[in-house]
Amino acid sequence: MSKIKIGTDSTADIPKPFCEELNISVLPLSILAGEKEYQDGVDITPSEFYRIIDESKELPVSSQVASVLYSELFEETWKAGYTDLIQVTLNSKGSGTYQAAVLSRDLFYEEHPEAKEQLASHIIDSKTYSMGYGIAVIEGAQLAKSGVSAQEVIDHIEEWLAHSRPVFVTLDLRCVKKSGRISPAAAFVGDAVGLKPIITFENGDAKIVGKARGARKAISALVERCRKERRPGTNYAIVYGYNTEALEFLKEACAQIMDKPPIAEYQVGCVISINTGPNMIGTLYRT
């Protein structure tokens, strides 16, 4: 009988209650802010990190999950008697986390050749960010808990990821300008006339899919896109930074047109907020 372990990294932004209930392991990325290094979600909270972003002249920098953490994960999972480890990682186009997982797995099997027949390791590149893959991980863990096979869990996760759609609005363009998501010239023009970009990810790459003048119009456009694209009845999430007024407007709009409440309403994690800025709002769903 299969005994399946589900894992991911901190950039999936999965709220802790889900991780605790479903026994999802989460490996932290590292963040360097000035001279200080943090472990994402371990020794710093999103709210604390937002203050660092606002006060810093230069954006903090994130780095991939440390190889030693992967080595420990493989070792502990094997020794705990699991038959399968399904690890879903941050978009490989934006981080070396996926590659680090693959290399660590190969090294683990070199050091423990007997484990090859005992623990099957499945590493999945999400090709996306935040709960764009976090929801897939949650649903995969729920399936694993129900007793289905590892292949059924993998198929569900991969099918979800193939249709994942994170869409967000940056209400302050300072961070996206610095991160390169929007050119400095475009950001300057947007700030000057109040245009807010609506951004998604396709095949791992950022793409501006619309613009709206003013926060409320941008959020309305965001929700309308979600209504048109989201597969009815499927899970979706709401993400926000420190703009609670924008959050309330988004929640009201979703309540009026969605067929179910969100699976989660959460603050954008530290790593993602480096690129979007903490003054953001978004929805994450499957098409």
Side-chain angles (χ1 to χ4, degrees):
M1 182 178 177
S2 296
K3 184 180 179 183
I4 305 168
K5 178 67 174 176
I6 305 292
T8 189
D9 48 66
S10 60
T11 315
D13 288 343
I14 299 175
K16 286 185 179 179
F18 285 107
C19 297
E20 293 168 356
E21 176 190 350
L22 298 169
N23 192 29
I24 299 169
S25 68
V26 180
L27 302 183
L29 274 75
S30 297
I31 300 170
L32 183 64
E35 299 297 318
K36 192 162 184 180
E37 185 172 344
Y38 301 93
Q39 296 296 301
D40 183 21
V42 175
D43 50 17
I44 190 167
T45 66
S47 293
E48 291 168 342
F49 190 66
Y50 299 163
R51 288 197 293 272
I52 292 174
I53 291 178
D54 279 343
E55 294 169 2
S56 299
K57 292 182 179 179
E58 299 293 330
L59 284 179
V61 178
S62 64
S63 62
Q64 66 195 42
V65 172
S67 295
V68 65
L69 295 180
Y70 274 122
S71 298
E72 291 172 357
L73 173 66
F74 292 126
E75 187 93 22
E76 291 168 4
T77 303
W78 173 48
K79 288 183 176 178
Y82 286 94
T83 59
D84 295 85
L85 169 63
I86 301 172
Q87 184 75 16
V88 186
T89 75
L90 168 62
N91 178 16
S92 63
K93 289 187 176 181
S95 169
T97 292
Y98 171 77
Q99 290 82 357
V102 172
L103 290 172
S104 297
R105 176 190 61 188
D106 294 345
L107 182 59
F108 167 74
Y109 285 135
E110 284 181 18
E111 294 177 347
H112 304 284
E114 69 275 24
K116 277 191 174 183
E117 301 300 320
Q118 300 166 355
L119 174 67
S121 298
H122 317 273
I123 302 174
I124 301 172
D125 177 4
S126 73
K127 296 186 172 69
T128 189
Y129 297 91
S130 194
M131 283 195 76
Y133 66 105
I135 298 175
V137 171
I138 290 171
E139 292 187 359
Q142 290 170 335
L143 281 175
K145 193 174 182 180
S146 74
V148 305
S149 70
Q151 191 57 54
E152 287 176 280
V153 176
I154 292 167
D155 289 345
H156 180 83
I157 290 173
E158 290 184 336
E159 201 272 340
W160 209 104
L161 294 174
H163 299 277
S164 174
R165 179 77 78 184
V167 186
F168 63 93
V169 175
T170 52
L171 302 174
D172 177 345
L173 302 181
R174 182 172 62 94
C175 287
V176 290
K177 178 175 66 176
K178 287 183 178 180
S179 70
R181 298 295 182 196
I182 299 177
S183 73
F188 175 77
V189 172
D191 277 336
V193 300
L195 285 177
K196 311 298 180 185
I198 301 169
I199 303 173
T200 189
F201 289 90
E202 293 183 358
N203 299 315
D205 296 315
K207 180 180 179 181
I208 297 177
V209 292
K211 296 178 182 177
R213 184 163 293 174
R216 292 211 162 204
K217 288 184 178 180
I219 294 170
S220 294
L222 172 80
V223 175
E224 180 61 15
R225 177 173 290 272
C226 181
R227 183 190 69 80
K228 289 181 177 179
E229 293 184 339
R230 174 179 156 266
R231 186 178 301 186
T234 55
N235 285 320
Y236 69 100
I238 288 174
V239 59
Y240 66 102
Y242 54 43
N243 193 325
T244 55
E245 182 180 349
L247 170 64
E248 291 305 315
F249 186 73
L250 175 59
K251 287 168 61 177
E252 290 172 8
C254 286
Q256 290 176 8
I257 66 172
M258 294 298 187
D259 55 12
K260 62 188 294 186
I263 188 175
E265 171 192 309
Y266 68 100
Q267 282 191 297
V268 64
C270 301
V271 173
I272 302 300
S273 67
I274 293 172
N275 293 295
T276 65
N279 190 8
M280 60 83 70
I281 199 82
T283 57
L284 307 99
Y285 52 93
R286 63 168 297 167
T287 59

